[in-house]
Amino acid sequence: MARRHPILRRLAILAGALLGVLLLAGGLGLLGEGDLLSRLALRKSLGLVELRGVIEDAGELVETLERFRKQDTTVGVVVRIDSPGGAVAPSQELYDELWRVRAAKPVVASLGNVAASGGYYVASAANVIVSDPGTITGSIGALMEVQYLAPLDAEERALLQGVVDDVLSQFVDAVARGRSMEPARVRELADGRVFSGAQAKAAGLVDELGGLEDATSLAWKRAGESGEPRVSRVRAHRRLWWLDLLGESLLPARTPLAGGLLFLYHGPLAD
């Protein structure tokens, strides 16, 4: 049998090694930062998920939260929120999944630059809300955006207003449930106004003032763990690293929300 040329053999070995590295990197990209290592080591850790930008679809984050809920090595969850809100249904789906997680292990919400309207709706499902003093939050309200609609008559306007009022009541009830507040008290705050983190704490919408590190430490302690918290972090948008190398210009652009029922803050810092 003819022997393979030494150079060809070395090239084959190199190609195999590169393929192994690509498969490993792809696996890490799909599982999220630190998650694979946590699984291999079977060490307890916190799950950290990020909710950033306008809420348009909840599928990926719901899937991640469900995985953390079922994963024995995940002892608690921190959800970092930097969002002005967005569509009603995805906000409610995230709220509901956080409640399911909360029934199994502690959940702490960490509010970033903006956590308003639908962003606050989601946060209210956590056991504890930690906010920076200068966070823009609150904006408890609902609105409907309809494009290319002819002027409404009185009956049509009343029908649509009834839908918005019903959705607002759902928002009020969700916050009251999550925050253990009387619905009447939440209703007093549900006029769309925004609060700083410090003001929200005074109003009972936030539990503690602090940053992400404070929220992580609190979740770790609530899980009954000691020492420094170990965190399995999942990026808001999971994507293989080699896709990032292609550049944003080669990927499809995000489309804005096309109207409908919204929990969305439109003020400063909303972007």
Side-chain angles (χ1 to χ4, degrees):
M1 180 181 295
R3 297 181 59 188
R4 180 178 294 180
H5 194 282
I7 295 180
L8 294 178
R9 185 170 57 195
R10 290 174 185 173
L11 288 175
I13 293 173
L14 179 60
L18 287 174
L19 179 60
V21 170
L22 288 173
L23 290 174
L24 177 60
L28 288 172
L30 289 172
L31 291 171
E33 294 179 348
D35 187 67
L36 179 61
L37 296 178
S38 296
R39 285 173 177 268
L40 293 176
L42 296 179
R43 301 174 69 190
K44 293 180 179 179
S45 64
L46 294 173
L48 173 59
V49 296
E50 297 179 347
L51 174 58
R52 295 185 178 275
V54 175
I55 303 171
E56 299 177 86
D57 179 79
E60 183 178 319
L61 284 180
V62 167
E63 180 182 322
T64 299
L65 290 169
E66 181 181 13
R67 178 161 54 87
F68 280 144
R69 172 168 55 86
K70 296 178 178 179
Q71 192 168 292
D72 292 336
T73 54
T74 301
V75 297
V77 170
V78 176
V79 54
R80 175 68 169 181
I81 301 174
D82 203 333
S83 168
V88 168
S91 301
Q92 292 178 328
E93 289 172 8
L94 288 169
Y95 176 96
D96 290 342
E97 184 56 40
L98 277 180
W99 262 103
R100 286 189 280 271
V101 177
R102 176 174 170 169
K105 53 196 69 176
V107 176
V108 176
S110 170
L111 309 188
N113 194 37
V114 178
S117 207
Y120 182 76
Y121 190 111
V122 175
S124 68
N127 296 96
V128 181
I129 299 178
V130 179
S131 172
D132 285 304
T135 296
I136 297 298
T137 188
S139 188
I140 300 173
L143 57 91
M144 177 180 285
E145 291 185 352
V146 183
Q147 296 180 347
Y148 308 112
L149 192 65
L152 301 174
D153 60 31
E155 183 179 358
E156 291 171 330
R157 185 175 297 276
L159 286 172
L160 292 179
Q161 186 61 53
V163 173
V164 173
D165 291 344
D166 180 66
V167 172
L168 175 58
S169 294
Q170 295 173 29
F171 198 159
V172 169
D173 291 343
V175 173
R177 178 190 181 202
R179 300 297 303 154
S180 298
M181 296 172 67
E182 290 295 326
R185 172 55 181 157
V186 179
R187 178 70 68 170
E188 293 174 0
L189 305 172
D191 55 7
R193 80 182 87 166
V194 295
F195 303 86
S196 69
Q199 290 173 327
K201 182 176 185 299
L205 299 176
V206 163
D207 296 293
E208 297 189 16
L209 298 180
L212 178 58
E213 185 175 350
D214 299 300
T216 301
S217 297
L218 179 59
W220 189 245
K221 291 177 182 176
R222 279 189 160 244
E225 302 297 328
S226 59
E228 289 295 316
R230 289 185 292 274
V231 178
S232 295
R233 188 184 191 116
V234 175
R235 293 175 178 174
H237 300 288
R238 293 176 294 170
R239 186 167 64 196
L240 297 179
W241 62 269
W242 49 270
L243 285 178
D244 290 324
L245 296 180
L246 295 177
E248 294 292 336
S249 61
L250 299 181
L251 299 175
R254 290 176 64 252
T255 56
L257 290 172
L261 285 167
L262 306 175
F263 295 143
L264 183 61
Y265 168 62
H266 284 294
L269 307 178
D271 296 332

